[in-house]
Amino acid sequence: MKCIKTPLIGLAAVVLAAGALPAYAGLSLDQYAVTGNYALDALNGTSGGISGYEASAVAYARDRGTLFFVGDEGTGVVEISKTGQTLGYMNFNWAGTGSNKHDTEGLTYIGNGQLVVSEERLYDAYKFGYVNGGTAALASNGVSISNDNVGNSGLEGITYDARNGGSFLTVKQESPEDIRSGTLTFGPNLSGVASTSQLFNPALLGVSTLSDIAALSAVDAFANTADADNLLLLSLGSNKLLEVTRSGQILSSFDLSAFNVHNAIEGVTVDENGTIYLVAEQEQDGSSNDPHSRLIVLNKVPEPETYSLMLGSLGMIGFMRRKKRMS
């Protein structure tokens, strides 16, 4: 009998075909591991032009398959690949915003080349269209979220949930911590309107600061499920990444204290596959002279029992192929 060759089947496909994978239940951060750690271009450093220095926020652009990040020098936004290669950049023009610190600590992507960047101290946000090599006049399309100067403990993160017409979630760093949800409209000279309310009391989380937020509605596996409502919250002060519900229940966590211990990890985003991207400032504690911020990638890895199922499935495939050869 003629031997029939079958194509190699991927591990995930084997397990799925065997019905061996458990039901997908949240991200389960305890099953994640660091799978990539990349240096980001410093570009023009701390003076003039675009800066890749002090990376403080990151956003995933699904329709481009890329990431954007900003540093808290506030000079502009950088587009990078999922492995940290610089693809382009855009300058920020702060004239007319009232900002003199330009402390950009939050960034989110809302589709079709449009991004929203937030300024920590004035608690303002600005929407702009990305143009590689161009300049965004931020004052032309902004909104004041708090109408107050909250200083260096203010707006640390912003994320966009595209469902139901779109909404934004923001976090305030400390003194006090705050998590807000609602709608933002944008207009010239900060004429936009913010309609937000506290989502839950951040004291429920037991972390010392809040550094960024990401909506899990972007994850394809969560579509039309309750998990799509959940959030990622990053705490630099406690070196933790949390998966939480919108009522403040902690579902899972990831300890960041062992990774890039000389860098401040300040930004988080997630793609449609559940891959998590973090950005960290360059080393600033004198441990080295490395000027590069970092992109850190986390992916879910199979649990030990899943590995056993995969190996068992592969063994069965090998047995079946041997049997066909003998036929």
Side-chain angles (χ1 to χ4, degrees):
M1 182 180 293
K2 184 178 180 180
C3 177
I4 302 174
K5 294 184 179 181
T6 58
L8 181 63
I9 302 174
L11 287 177
V14 170
V15 178
L16 285 172
L21 279 181
Y24 202 95
L27 282 185
S28 301
L29 292 176
D30 55 310
Q31 297 175 28
Y32 272 69
V34 173
T35 57
N37 195 324
Y38 309 99
L40 299 175
D41 289 338
L43 299 173
N44 289 334
T46 58
S47 60
I50 285 295
S51 173
Y53 196 71
E54 294 184 312
S56 56
V58 61
Y60 174 64
R62 177 171 183 158
D63 55 5
R64 302 168 74 95
T66 63
L67 301 164
F68 289 91
F69 81 96
V70 291
D72 61 13
E73 300 298 313
T75 54
V77 63
V78 185
E79 185 175 20
I80 59 174
S81 72
K82 292 181 179 181
T83 52
Q85 287 83 21
T86 298
L87 303 175
Y89 59 87
M90 187 176 190
N91 289 292
F92 290 157
N93 178 352
W94 290 89
T97 63
S99 170
N100 54 27
K101 293 291 186 180
H102 313 334
D103 201 353
T104 48
E105 294 282 355
L107 183 71
T108 192
Y109 186 79
I110 62 176
N112 298 315
Q114 300 289 308
L115 294 109
V116 173
V117 64
S118 62
E119 203 274 355
E120 177 179 15
R121 297 166 187 256
L122 298 182
Y123 227 98
D124 296 340
Y126 310 93
K127 184 172 76 169
F128 64 95
Y130 178 76
V131 178
N132 184 20
T135 299
L138 299 179
S140 66
N141 212 14
V143 59
S144 182
I145 298 175
S146 74
N147 296 308
D148 191 16
N149 188 334
V150 295
N152 200 30
S153 299
L155 184 55
E156 277 286 312
I158 187 169
T159 191
Y160 181 67
D161 185 340
R163 299 174 303 165
N164 304 316
S167 62
F168 291 87
L169 299 104
T170 63
V171 292
K172 184 177 182 293
Q173 179 176 319
E174 57 188 346
S175 303
E177 298 171 4
D178 196 13
I179 302 173
R180 305 190 71 82
S181 175
T183 59
L184 302 177
T185 61
F186 301 85
N189 303 312
L190 296 174
S191 62
V193 176
S195 178
T196 67
S197 59
Q198 187 177 75
L199 193 61
F200 61 84
N201 182 357
L204 294 171
L205 303 175
V207 293
S208 60
T209 63
L210 293 174
S211 304
D212 205 358
I213 185 170
L216 293 181
S217 56
V219 179
D220 281 351
F222 294 168
N224 302 314
T225 73
D227 288 323
D229 286 333
N230 297 338
L231 307 166
L232 287 178
L233 287 171
L234 175 65
S235 172
L236 170 60
S238 296
N239 286 314
K240 285 185 178 180
L241 182 64
L242 303 176
E243 178 188 14
V244 304
T245 68
R246 296 201 181 201
S247 61
Q249 177 189 2
I250 297 176
L251 301 175
S252 65
S253 65
F254 188 91
D255 183 5
L256 295 166
S257 60
F259 303 100
N260 295 87
V261 295
H262 302 291
N263 307 71
I265 301 176
E266 292 198 342
V268 63
T269 193
V270 63
D271 70 14
E272 68 272 22
N273 300 312
T275 299
I276 298 169
Y277 305 89
L278 305 165
V279 290
E281 296 181 347
Q282 76 288 348
E283 296 179 1
Q284 296 187 42
D285 60 1
S287 59
S288 77
N289 294 318
D290 186 354
H292 299 284
S293 295
R294 309 293 304 186
L295 173 68
I296 304 163
V297 183
L298 307 179
N299 274 292
K300 196 168 190 176
V301 296
E303 295 179 286
E305 56 268 30
T306 304
Y307 274 123
S308 298
L309 288 168
M310 287 179 174
L311 291 173
S313 297
L314 287 175
M316 181 59 69
I317 287 177
F319 172 76
M320 292 172 66
R321 286 180 175 174
R322 289 193 299 271
K323 186 175 180 181
K324 286 181 179 180
R325 291 192 192 101
M326 295 170 62
S327 301

